[in-house]
Amino acid sequence: MTPEQPSTPSVNASGSPVVGARVIVDVLRQLAGKPPETVQLTPMRNKAALFVLEKSLLKMEQQAALLTFPVPLMDLASALHQFARNEKKILYLAQADWGAVKLIDMVFAAVIDQGKLDEEGIWLLNRFRLPLFHAVLGDYSFFFARQNVSRRFINAVTLHLLTTREPFARDLKFVLGGLATRMHEAFEGGSGKFNALCLEGQTWFATQQQRLHKAEVKVRELAENKQRKQQAEERVVALINRCIAGKSLPHLLVDFIVGDWRQLLLWTSMKEGEQGLNWKRQSRLTESMVEFVAGCQTPDGRTQYQKFLPSLIKGLHS
């Protein structure tokens, strides 16, 4: 098969196209376009050229490992061009490999152009371009296999940078910064170490997701409790005001109602709401207490209400 004869993807049982390595290679060759003057393209990989590229990438990653925010980071194509120009050399890449550079840059640009990442988030995401390209050189399945380790990792990085908010975002950025630095240093020991770091990152993401979920549940419960308490407070205040406002009552009763009795009303109101049986019973009992004491201010009133005293005391004790 020649570069001018792109392969046709096969289809699975459902009729959907199955994209494999041969199709991806053809796509990447078409994406390559015209490189800068510091990059020369070849139809196929050349062992000697690939050896030089690997050494160049290692040197670039050693330099990148020392960078700290907010030192600006270039896209892959620009970074390779700048490195070759500074080193006064020509980089020889296969068309498909340069196409991979372009495609990775397009993927990262699509995320960044959404405008949902802050400057530090963009900087952190960009730090993974170079080690990701280094991994892709050894495994094109990044582009077509969903289970590819580096693909799953970079998807998780992007998702968490887009969705994690403070105070958890600070922990996320700290961990991602450490992983990026270690990935830049990892390829001296081969791609196995890079894959291990990807898996380490995914494990941390899973743990962080559980932590975030628990925190979100806690925050939601606190917000609901705060709202419930506010509503209960308003309900209790309205009841007490309705019962004692404008009435001449003994200080002992007023202190009891706005003190211990109010706390009991508040607890019941928070627990049951305005439709709760205990809340309704305690509301009626509040009204009965005030009515009873107000009616007992005179001897005739005390005589009249004396028969209600046992039931009132029973209600207070229940």
Side-chain angles (χ1 to χ4, degrees):
M1 183 179 64
T2 65
E4 293 74 30
Q5 297 173 323
S7 60
T8 302
S10 59
V11 296
N12 58 22
S14 64
S16 301
V18 179
V19 178
R22 295 176 64 188
V23 175
I24 286 297
V25 168
D26 287 338
V27 171
L28 295 178
R29 284 171 175 164
Q30 294 177 32
L31 281 176
K34 184 179 179 181
E37 68 277 6
T38 54
V39 176
Q40 295 292 320
L41 301 185
T42 60
M44 305 293 289
R45 284 182 175 176
N46 177 285
K47 287 186 177 180
L50 189 60
F51 176 81
V52 173
L53 177 62
E54 287 280 351
K55 292 298 182 182
S56 299
L57 290 176
L58 284 173
K59 188 171 183 179
M60 292 174 67
E61 285 175 330
Q62 290 168 355
Q63 295 171 354
L66 303 175
L67 299 179
T68 56
F69 180 75
V71 176
L73 297 174
M74 304 177 183
D75 58 36
L76 270 176
S78 300
L80 288 166
H81 167 63
Q82 186 68 44
F83 175 82
R85 189 166 62 179
N86 291 344
E87 295 288 318
K88 295 181 173 56
K89 65 168 64 173
I90 300 294
L91 293 178
Y92 291 90
L93 277 78
Q95 283 181 314
D97 291 339
W98 184 250
V101 169
K102 303 292 288 294
L103 184 53
I104 290 173
D105 280 341
M106 290 168 59
V107 171
F108 276 70
V111 174
I112 294 170
D113 290 346
Q114 293 180 25
K116 297 180 180 179
L117 294 175
D118 59 19
E119 290 185 2
E120 189 176 4
I122 293 173
W123 186 83
L124 280 169
L125 184 62
N126 278 331
R127 288 200 71 193
F128 292 102
R129 289 199 201 209
L130 189 56
L132 182 62
F133 172 61
H134 208 159
V136 166
L137 282 177
D139 187 4
Y140 272 177
S141 70
F142 171 85
F143 294 115
F144 61 85
R146 293 182 179 180
Q147 298 305 314
N148 178 277
V149 173
S150 55
R151 174 170 172 162
R152 288 171 62 87
F153 171 77
I154 201 64
N155 284 343
V157 169
T158 304
L159 176 64
H160 282 78
L161 280 173
L162 287 170
T163 59
T164 305
R165 299 291 177 262
E166 296 295 352
F168 305 105
R170 179 48 43 199
D171 288 345
L172 172 67
K173 290 175 179 177
F174 176 80
V175 171
L176 289 181
L179 280 172
T181 298
R182 291 165 65 194
M183 284 181 176
H184 283 299
E185 299 168 347
F187 277 97
E188 254 182 309
S191 60
K193 190 174 180 181
F194 172 81
N195 289 336
L197 287 171
C198 287
L199 293 173
E200 179 184 326
Q202 290 181 58
T203 301
W204 186 87
F205 291 142
T207 304
Q208 180 75 347
Q209 195 67 33
Q210 294 174 358
R211 179 186 173 199
L212 287 174
H213 176 70
K214 290 179 180 178
E216 287 170 356
V217 170
K218 185 66 175 179
V219 169
R220 186 164 57 249
E221 288 177 349
L222 289 173
E224 291 173 353
N225 287 339
K226 182 179 180 180
Q227 183 180 18
R228 193 181 301 118
K229 183 176 182 180
Q230 182 179 354
Q231 293 172 344
E233 184 76 39
E234 293 172 355
R235 198 176 296 125
V236 170
V237 170
L239 171 65
I240 292 177
N241 285 341
R242 186 176 72 251
C243 291
I244 69 176
K247 296 183 176 67
S248 178
L249 299 169
H251 290 300
L252 184 63
L253 175 65
V254 174
D255 290 344
F256 171 69
I257 289 177
V258 300
D260 294 339
W261 186 251
R262 175 179 172 277
Q263 293 301 318
L264 177 62
L265 289 172
L266 181 60
W267 182 84
T268 304
S269 180
M270 285 183 62
K271 182 180 179 182
E272 299 185 357
E274 60 183 347
Q275 299 302 321
L277 293 178
N278 286 322
W279 165 252
K280 290 181 178 180
R281 184 180 63 80
Q282 290 175 6
S283 297
R284 290 193 298 268
L285 192 54
T286 306
E287 296 168 349
S288 297
M289 277 193 297
V290 173
E291 182 182 353
F292 178 85
V293 173
C296 290
Q297 299 298 308
T298 63
D300 290 341
R302 286 193 288 273
T303 301
Q304 180 182 356
Y305 279 98
Q306 189 173 9
K307 59 183 178 181
F308 296 110
L309 184 59
S311 60
L312 179 63
I313 293 175
K314 182 179 179 181
L316 287 171
H317 281 289
S318 61

